[in-house]
């Protein structure tokens, strides 16, 4: 909660980038304020200008190609003096950056130096801004590691970034950002790729530390559900401009701008079954002049238009489950050796998949949910024989996959495909996307010549809402959502029966995520695909799946109908996953505001 004293004022900020196509205004005439003790949330999809706004405040815009072309960024000292951060020298800016204004970046692995220990990197930040020696800095670092709830702080002090999990690396980044007690903490998508349970821990931790050091937070995300958990005020950005701002309660109870309404509507709702998720086009569209044309649709109207009745849901599930299993997994084990004796014999294993059994029916979507490290991805890759199984049985379409040699397995791959989590790393940057989609057809000898294959690729691109002219472009020329659609088109190239979607929407904006999920459902209905849908986000899995498997530490915790598991979870672990989902309900926001006011009084 704000104490009313102005800390930061951004006035008419313009940040430009020079490109081959001319000047792009990534931030276009943006104005907002931040008070002491306040948390503001900046929300919008990729390309809306959120991160560029925060980098402008930090004076971290790379020049060339970018520059702050106009406006003021006023930082108010404790005595009320205003300093325009756009006008001071780089040397003077260093005294503010890290000391008064700190930043937690989205991807901790690329923000932490891989050749230095985590301890050394935080110690360096402390010695740079505080008058302490190395021994005192080390003690402060250990104290910060304890505050951010890192297990065994002494071990983390000497550990390198690659030796930590994603959640642990993010906590090291928070410790570094908070180590100098900054007045402003900018958190740029700090929880986007984290499990919901780790995300909740990080959000709670940031709120707690904010109170301890009396700082203010600018929290950047594409997910309004997360904003509901932490923010006092919300700024909604679209194409470089702030299209709406107000208190968190006002934004959630009465969103004015169609883009805000679309962001609220496109998150998978937990209490309802939808045939598809509402998207931006349900609320607004752009005319030929690039002007926004509003559709007078409310969030409730958009959701009510696509609600499926319980009878329809049950009828679909009964129809699917009355058929034959296309996949049977029996007592599957995938173990990785962790220790060997001096003779090289393995003495210990990590049991990534430990005695797992389930069936998948033809036309079904089976959801696979759990925290990072629970064995979801390993299970998916073992089913496709991309990883060797330690024991058990995999029966696909009547054939025992673990008994097939490599040549026989190659023949099976036509019918079994995977869409990976990171579309950029799963596309070859040197091959055009048209050739990437055509390659599996060539390998498997589908169609008689290149002309027929190219025609099929163009048909697939159109199917996933891409354009024929995209055929000769390279992966770096597309957004994350477009690259994921390209990977979907490549998976469809062989017309498979069965597709594993491995965290295929976890790194996407909620608006783009909604489009990709709708596409997957549309393709399932059109081509009668069978999916295993892997995610750490239980709300997404519930929306997509008929039945759900909850995994923990390599074993199945719960298996059953998705709605029943959500409404009546039997295991404590599943209850914890459900409780951690940011729901964005008005009652929760009102309760949080009441509790904050009570603390202040």
């Amino acid at each position: 909660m704000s104490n009313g004293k102005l800390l930061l004022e951004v006035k008419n900020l313009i940040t430009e980038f020079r490109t081959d196509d001319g000047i792009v205004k990534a931030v276009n005439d943006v104005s907002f304020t931040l008070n002491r003790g306040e948390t503001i949330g900046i929300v919008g999809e990729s390309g809306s200008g959120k991160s560029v706004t925060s980098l402008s405040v930090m004076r971290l815009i790379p020049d060339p190609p970018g520059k702050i072309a106009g406006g003021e960024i006023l930082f108010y000292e404790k005595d009320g003096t205003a300093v325009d951060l756009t006008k001071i020298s780089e040397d003077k800016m260093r005294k503010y950056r890290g000391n008064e204004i700190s930043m937690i970046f989205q991807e901790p692995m690329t923000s932490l130096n891989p050749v230095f220990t985590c301890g050394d990197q935080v110690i360096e930040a402390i010695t740079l801004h505080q008058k302490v020696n190395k021994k005192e800095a080390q003690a402060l670092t250990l104290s910060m590691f304890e505050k951010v709830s890192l297990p065994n702080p002494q071990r983390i002090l000497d550990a390198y970034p690659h030796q930590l999990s994603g959640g642990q690396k993010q906590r090291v980044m928070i410790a570094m950002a908070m180590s100098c007690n900054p007045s402003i903490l900018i958190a740029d998508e700090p929880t986007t790729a984290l499990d919901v349970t780790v995300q909740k821990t990080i959000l709670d931790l940031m709120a707690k530390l904010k109170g301890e050091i009396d700082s203010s937070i600018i929290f950047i995300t594409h997910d309004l559900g997360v904003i509901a958990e932490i923010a006092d005020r919300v700024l909604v950005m679209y194409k470089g401009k702030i299209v709406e701002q107000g208190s968190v309660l006002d934004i959630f109870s009465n969103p004015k701008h169609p883009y805000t309404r679309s962001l609220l509507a496109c998150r998978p709702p937990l209490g309802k079954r939808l045939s598809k998720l509402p998207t931006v086009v349900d609320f607004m569209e752009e005319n030929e002049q690039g002007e926004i044309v509003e559709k007078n649709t409310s969030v409730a109207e958009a959701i009510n238009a696509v609600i499926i009745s319980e009878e329809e849901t049950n009828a679909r599930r009964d129809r699917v489950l009355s058929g034959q299993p296309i996949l049977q997994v029996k007592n599957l084990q995938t173990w990785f050796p962790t220790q060997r004796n001096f003779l090289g014999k393995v003495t210990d294993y990590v049991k990534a998949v430990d005695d797992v059994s389930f069936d998948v029916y033809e036309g079904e979507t089976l959801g696979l949910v759990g925290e990072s490290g629970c064995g979801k991805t390993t299970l998916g890759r073992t089913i496709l024989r991309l990883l060797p199984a330690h024991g058990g049985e995999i029966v696909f379409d009547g054939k025992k996959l673990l008994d097939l040699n490599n040549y026989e397995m190659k023949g099976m791959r036509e019918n079994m495909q995977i869409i990976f989590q990171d579309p950029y790393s799963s596309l070859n940057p040197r091959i055009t996307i048209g050739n990437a989609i055509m390659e599996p057809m060539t390998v498997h000898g589908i169609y008689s010549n290149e002309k027929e294959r190219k025609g099929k690729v163009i048909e697939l691109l159109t199917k996933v809402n891409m354009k024929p002219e995209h055929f000769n472009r390279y992966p770096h020329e597309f957004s994350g959502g477009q690259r994921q659609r390209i990977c979907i088109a490549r998976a469809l190239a062989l017309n498979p029966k069965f597709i594993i979607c491995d965290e295929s929407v976890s790194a996407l904006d909620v608006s783009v995520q909604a489009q990709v999920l709708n596409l997957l459902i549309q393709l399932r209905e059109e081509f009668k695909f069978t999916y295993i849908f892997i995610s750490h986000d239980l709300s997404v899995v519930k929306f997509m799946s008929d039945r759900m498997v909850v995994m923990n530490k390599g074993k199945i915790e719960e298996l059953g109908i998705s709605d029943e598991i959500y409404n009546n979870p039997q295991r404590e672990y599943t209850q914890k996953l459900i409780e951690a989902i940011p729901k964005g309900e008005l009652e929760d926001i009102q309760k949080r505001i009441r509790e904050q006011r009570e603390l202040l009084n």
Side-chain angles (χ1 to χ4, degrees):
M1 277 284 179
S2 159
N3 63 16
K5 290 183 180 175
L6 195 57
L7 179 58
L8 184 76
E9 187 175 12
V10 175
K11 291 182 175 179
N12 310 111
L13 179 66
I14 297 171
T15 305
E16 298 177 342
F17 288 88
R18 292 182 288 283
T19 71
D20 293 341
D21 298 324
I23 300 292
V24 172
K25 287 187 178 179
V27 175
N28 190 2
D29 197 26
V30 162
S31 300
F32 64 91
T33 59
L34 175 69
N35 294 323
R36 289 191 183 274
E38 185 179 35
T39 298
I40 62 170
I42 304 181
V43 70
E45 60 194 5
S46 291
S48 63
K50 312 183 299 293
S51 293
V52 177
T53 300
S54 66
L55 291 170
S56 301
V57 170
M58 293 286 286
R59 283 265 305 268
L60 289 174
I61 298 295
D63 185 7
K67 68 171 183 177
I68 296 172
E72 298 173 291
I73 301 169
L74 303 175
F75 178 82
Y76 289 85
E77 305 275 10
K78 287 185 173 66
D79 62 4
T81 310
V83 178
D84 188 348
L85 301 181
T86 65
K87 302 285 194 294
I88 60 178
S89 68
E90 180 58 31
D91 278 349
K92 196 168 181 187
M93 185 64 207
R94 282 197 197 102
K95 293 173 185 173
Y96 287 92
R97 191 189 297 131
N99 193 24
E100 291 286 1
I101 308 173
S102 248
M103 190 160 180
I104 305 166
F105 294 94
Q106 178 173 357
E107 180 43 72
M109 195 62 215
T110 53
S111 310
L112 292 168
N113 192 323
V115 299
F116 291 104
T117 65
C118 295
D120 283 341
Q121 294 182 62
V122 180
I123 288 166
E124 182 187 24
I126 292 171
T127 52
L128 193 65
H129 293 289
Q130 298 185 46
K131 293 175 182 176
V132 293
N133 60 35
K134 190 168 181 181
K135 189 176 179 183
E136 290 168 325
Q138 183 170 327
L140 283 170
T141 300
L142 279 169
S143 170
M144 280 308 302
F145 283 176
E146 284 170 11
K147 277 187 179 176
V148 298
S149 306
L150 277 164
N152 195 342
Q154 186 64 53
R155 182 188 74 81
I156 304 286
L157 195 77
D158 300 322
Y160 289 89
H162 73 272
Q163 295 173 304
L164 307 184
S165 71
Q168 288 173 338
K169 285 196 283 273
Q170 199 58 284
R171 288 181 209 202
V172 170
M173 284 294 300
I174 292 172
M176 191 188 300
M178 295 264 191
S179 60
C180 298
N181 297 342
S183 300
I184 301 172
L185 177 68
I186 300 173
D188 186 8
E189 303 259 17
T191 62
T192 293
L194 301 179
D195 305 332
V196 283
T197 46
V198 179
Q199 173 178 274
K200 182 167 175 53
T201 307
I202 296 291
L203 293 177
D204 291 344
L205 173 65
M206 287 178 65
K208 174 172 162 272
L209 291 176
K210 171 196 157 191
E212 285 180 8
I213 66 172
D214 192 28
S215 69
S216 302
I217 295 176
I218 298 175
F219 194 97
I220 296 166
T221 182
H222 60 255
D223 190 343
L224 272 164
V226 172
I227 287 290
E229 302 272 310
I230 196 167
D232 302 311
R233 280 192 302 124
V234 184
L235 317 178
V236 182
M237 289 193 73
Y238 180 69
K239 294 198 170 177
K241 291 178 177 286
I242 293 175
V243 294
E244 185 168 2
Q245 58 179 304
S247 75
V248 66
L249 203 55
D250 288 343
I251 293 292
F252 275 80
S253 60
N254 188 24
K256 301 280 195 301
H257 197 275
Y259 181 65
T260 313
R261 296 201 296 270
S262 75
L263 287 179
L264 281 165
C266 67
R267 296 183 74 251
L270 287 159
K272 303 177 180 76
R273 270 276 171 188
L274 307 185
S275 58
K276 70 182 194 74
L277 291 169
T279 58
V280 175
V281 295
D282 293 304
F283 298 88
M284 57 185 263
E285 57 190 6
E286 289 186 8
N287 60 22
E288 291 177 1
Q289 289 74 43
E291 299 164 332
I292 293 172
V293 180
E294 296 190 21
K295 297 178 183 177
N296 195 22
T297 310
S298 71
V299 174
E301 285 169 337
I303 290 174
N304 288 337
V306 288
I307 285 180
I308 306 174
S309 69
E310 195 175 333
E311 291 76 19
E312 289 174 285
T313 304
N314 293 341
R316 174 192 146 73
R317 189 173 56 243
D318 293 344
R319 186 177 70 252
V320 167
L321 299 183
S322 65
Q324 291 297 311
I326 191 171
L327 176 76
Q328 294 171 289
V329 175
K330 301 174 183 177
N331 309 109
L332 190 63
Q333 298 172 324
T334 309
W335 298 358
F336 298 108
T338 55
Q339 283 185 349
R340 297 175 188 271
N341 62 20
F342 69 99
L343 295 172
K345 186 180 177 182
V346 177
T347 56
D348 200 11
Y349 292 92
V350 167
K351 296 181 179 181
V353 176
D354 190 13
D355 198 29
V356 165
S357 301
F358 60 88
D359 294 341
V360 185
Y361 290 83
E362 198 159 357
E364 180 185 19
T365 299
L366 182 77
L368 195 53
V369 70
E371 295 172 293
S372 291
C374 72
K376 308 183 301 289
T377 294
T378 302
L379 174 57
R381 295 186 180 197
T382 306
I383 289 168
L384 294 178
R385 290 248 325 246
L386 298 175
L387 288 173
H390 193 84
E393 197 170 72
I394 305 164
V395 181
F396 177 77
D397 218 8
K399 295 185 175 65
K400 294 183 178 181
L401 298 189
L402 299 183
D403 294 343
L404 303 182
N405 60 35
N406 288 340
Y407 179 77
E408 290 167 329
M409 192 61 211
K410 182 186 170 185
M412 296 298 293
R413 294 200 186 282
E414 267 186 62
N415 285 317
M416 306 176 77
Q417 288 292 304
I418 185 167
I419 303 166
F420 292 101
Q421 176 173 358
D422 181 0
Y424 196 70
S425 62
S426 57
L427 290 168
N428 188 329
R430 296 185 180 87
I431 296 177
T432 65
I433 62 119
N435 285 323
I437 297 168
M438 201 190 296
E439 187 180 35
M441 297 182 195
T442 308
V443 169
H444 287 275
I446 294 174
Y447 302 109
S448 52
N449 56 53
E450 292 292 295
K451 186 179 178 183
E452 284 185 21
R453 289 180 192 127
K454 185 171 181 178
K456 181 63 178 176
V457 171
I458 288 170
E459 183 189 320
L460 287 169
L461 284 172
T462 309
K463 186 73 70 183
V464 298
N465 302 323
M466 303 288 286
K467 295 177 181 173
E469 55 265 34
H470 290 152
F471 185 97
N472 290 315
R473 294 190 191 172
Y474 289 86
H476 73 272
E477 298 179 76
F478 298 95
S479 69
Q482 287 174 319
R483 284 197 289 263
Q484 197 58 284
R485 286 186 221 167
I486 291 160
C487 289
I488 291 169
R490 186 176 60 178
L492 300 180
L494 301 177
N495 197 20
K497 294 180 180 178
F498 171 71
I499 299 175
I500 293 178
C501 305
D502 184 11
E503 299 270 17
S504 51
V505 296
S506 64
L508 302 179
D509 303 334
V510 283
S511 51
V512 179
Q513 173 182 281
Q515 293 166 21
V516 172
L517 293 176
N518 287 344
L519 174 64
L520 289 170
I521 284 179
Q522 177 199 326
L523 294 170
R524 181 187 71 190
E525 300 309 308
E526 189 175 337
F527 295 103
K528 309 300 177 198
F529 289 137
T530 304
Y531 290 133
I532 287 183
F533 192 90
I534 299 171
S535 178
H536 59 253
D537 187 339
L538 199 141
S539 60
V540 170
V541 168
K542 180 181 175 292
F543 168 71
M544 283 294 295
S545 62
D546 301 294
R547 291 185 304 142
M548 186 192 297
V549 173
V550 181
M551 280 190 74
N552 181 26
K553 296 179 181 174
K555 290 182 176 291
I556 291 177
E557 285 271 344
E558 274 192 70
L559 191 163
I561 292 163
S562 300
D563 292 338
E564 290 178 5
I565 285 181
Y566 173 71
N567 293 323
N568 188 24
Q570 300 299 304
R571 304 297 289 267
E572 187 182 337
Y573 178 76
T574 313
Q575 291 165 8
K576 188 177 76 167
L577 281 181
I578 292 168
E579 283 165 12
I581 301 168
K583 297 172 182 67
E585 300 291 344
L586 282 176
E587 297 80 22
D588 296 332
I589 297 169
Q590 288 164 334
K591 183 185 173 189
R592 177 169 66 84
I593 292 169
R594 271 198 312 273
E595 287 171 352
Q596 286 175 333
R597 283 181 180 148
E598 283 165 12
L599 280 173
L600 286 174
N601 295 332

